[in-house]
Amino acid sequence: MSPSPQATELTPQSYKTDEHPIWCPGCGDFGVLASIYNALAGLKINPKDLVVVSGIGCSGRTPGFIKSYGFHSAHGRVLPVALGVKLANPSLEVIGVGGDGDGFAIGGGHIPHAARRNPDIAYLIMDNSTYGLTKGQYSPTSPIGFQAGSTPYGNIERPLNPLAMLIAYGATFVGQGYSGKPRELADLITKALEHKGFAFVNIISPCITFYNTYKVIPPKLAEVPKDHDVTDRTKAFALALQDDHIALGVFYQVPAPTFEAQVEQVIKQAQTGSPPRLDEIFAEFD
Ligand SMILES: Cc1ncc(C[n+]2csc(CCOP(=O)(O)OP(=O)(O)O)c2C)c(N)n1
Ligand code: SF4
Ligand SMILES: [Mg+2]
């Protein structure tokens, strides 16, 4: 990496790499990327302190377009890799990015454990309700009736609700954004990055090629109500479960100790305390 810039010199441009995104023109992921650049510049995060971890998918290409350390990992494995990075060096800013297929299908088993452990990681899902990279198969967030090569008679599976799922699993920050509202999305990503703990943001990011939702999404959008109490889990659930509109903003946010801070405490205890004797442990099984 070239010499790191001074914080005062950091602008959205500072985070662009020489790689040009090869996404289809009009892909929602461009809006997400621009919002990430703006959030990083606003927080003056030095590229040398930043690690962006992705899975596999069109969205998985994101680390290549952000000046930082990056890890384009395996399909569905964003969270274990991101958690490993954070534990190895808690001073790093760690962002996980990936698609709805990557995160909720093959990688779905990692979400509850990341959420309940509460590492200080921001996890951004670019949710286009399809498998973009592999040519538009149905995904866990595709609606009933979604027609594609893998569902020629229409999808018969009910879509999962990412926001309700993350609130249920105990994530300490849960929000939703839209790639077509990059300014609001940059504010939301900024809040997620500032949050001390596991911050999940579901970003609706249309796949113009295989599931073009640009006409159907905007009329359904609404802001999270101004008087919504983000610390009230029951109200956050209610907001996530309603289907009158697609709410954008912070649904839920509460403080909680981070995983890495607690691991550090355990390491200190193990280093300073006397280790349990093996014969005492075996005696428990007599
Ligand atoms: C273990 C494994 N299984 C399947 C695949 C094939 N595969 C690559 S990307 C992908 C799904 C991509 O969809 P999503 O995660 O929603 O990302 P998008 O392309 O929509 O951004 C699949 C099934 C793979 N690369 N690795
Ligand atoms: S296939 Fe869809 S998700 Fe992939 S780059 Fe093209 S528009 Fe974006
Ligand atoms: Mg997808």
Side-chain angles (χ1 to χ4, degrees):
M1 193 179 287
S2 48
S4 45
Q6 296 296 313
T8 46
E9 296 167 1
L10 289 167
T11 66
Q13 197 67 25
S14 315
Y15 299 92
K16 288 190 181 162
T17 62
D18 297 335
E19 293 295 320
H20 291 291
I22 55 161
W23 294 318
C24 310
C27 176
D29 295 357
F30 284 102
V32 181
L33 183 62
S35 304
I36 295 174
Y37 290 147
N38 281 317
L40 293 171
L43 293 170
K44 306 281 178 219
I45 294 173
N46 200 311
K48 76 171 181 49
D49 300 324
L50 174 65
V51 184
V52 183
V53 179
S54 72
I56 302 293
C58 298
S59 44
R61 296 186 181 277
T62 306
F65 313 133
I66 300 177
K67 199 171 278 176
S68 67
Y69 291 98
F71 197 139
H72 192 169
S73 78
H75 194 34
R77 303 296 172 248
V78 174
L79 290 174
V81 175
L83 184 57
V85 171
K86 190 71 190 176
L87 282 182
N89 186 348
S91 68
L92 293 171
E93 189 72 52
V94 181
I95 300 178
V97 288
D100 41 302
D102 190 85
F104 304 142
I106 192 170
H110 295 297
I111 290 185
H113 309 294
R116 69 190 176 85
R117 286 172 180 151
N118 198 37
D120 186 12
I121 290 171
Y123 185 34
L124 314 178
I125 288 273
M126 292 146 144
D127 183 0
N128 51 18
S129 298
T130 187
Y131 287 4
L133 187 74
T134 48
K135 296 188 184 290
Q137 295 85 358
Y138 78 124
S139 90
T141 57
S142 303
I144 289 179
F146 176 90
Q147 263 183 320
S150 56
T151 49
Y153 305 106
N155 174 27
I156 55 169
E157 298 175 15
R158 284 177 297 160
L160 61 74
N161 181 324
L163 299 153
M165 178 169 78
L166 268 289
I167 296 165
Y169 283 149
T172 53
F173 181 107
V174 178
Q176 181 157 259
Y178 175 52
S179 61
K181 285 183 174 280
R183 199 170 304 152
E184 291 83 348
L185 181 57
D187 287 347
L188 184 62
I189 294 173
T190 303
K191 285 181 186 147
L193 291 173
E194 286 175 323
H195 177 72
K196 272 259 154 256
F198 188 67
F200 170 81
V201 185
N202 197 61
I203 305 170
I204 297 158
S205 177
C207 169
I208 197 165
T209 303
F210 295 110
Y211 185 37
N212 187 344
T213 53
Y214 278 115
K215 284 214 171 78
V216 294
I217 298 285
K220 293 187 190 162
L221 297 175
E223 293 297 305
V224 165
K226 293 245 176 316
D227 61 353
H228 172 64
D229 177 1
V230 295
T231 64
D232 187 326
R233 202 171 180 200
T234 310
K235 292 207 173 107
F237 255 124
L239 192 59
L241 293 174
Q242 60 77 33
D243 49 17
D244 297 344
H245 58 268
I246 300 169
L248 301 181
V250 180
F251 283 55
Y252 186 60
Q253 185 173 16
V254 285
T258 64
F259 189 53
E260 57 276 14
Q262 294 181 85
V263 167
E264 201 183 312
Q265 283 304 316
V266 174
I267 292 171
K268 271 194 196 131
Q269 279 170 2
Q271 284 168 342
T272 53
S274 47
R277 289 166 49 118
L278 269 185
D279 54 349
E280 285 168 2
I281 293 171
F282 289 149
E284 286 179 30
F285 298 96
D286 280 346

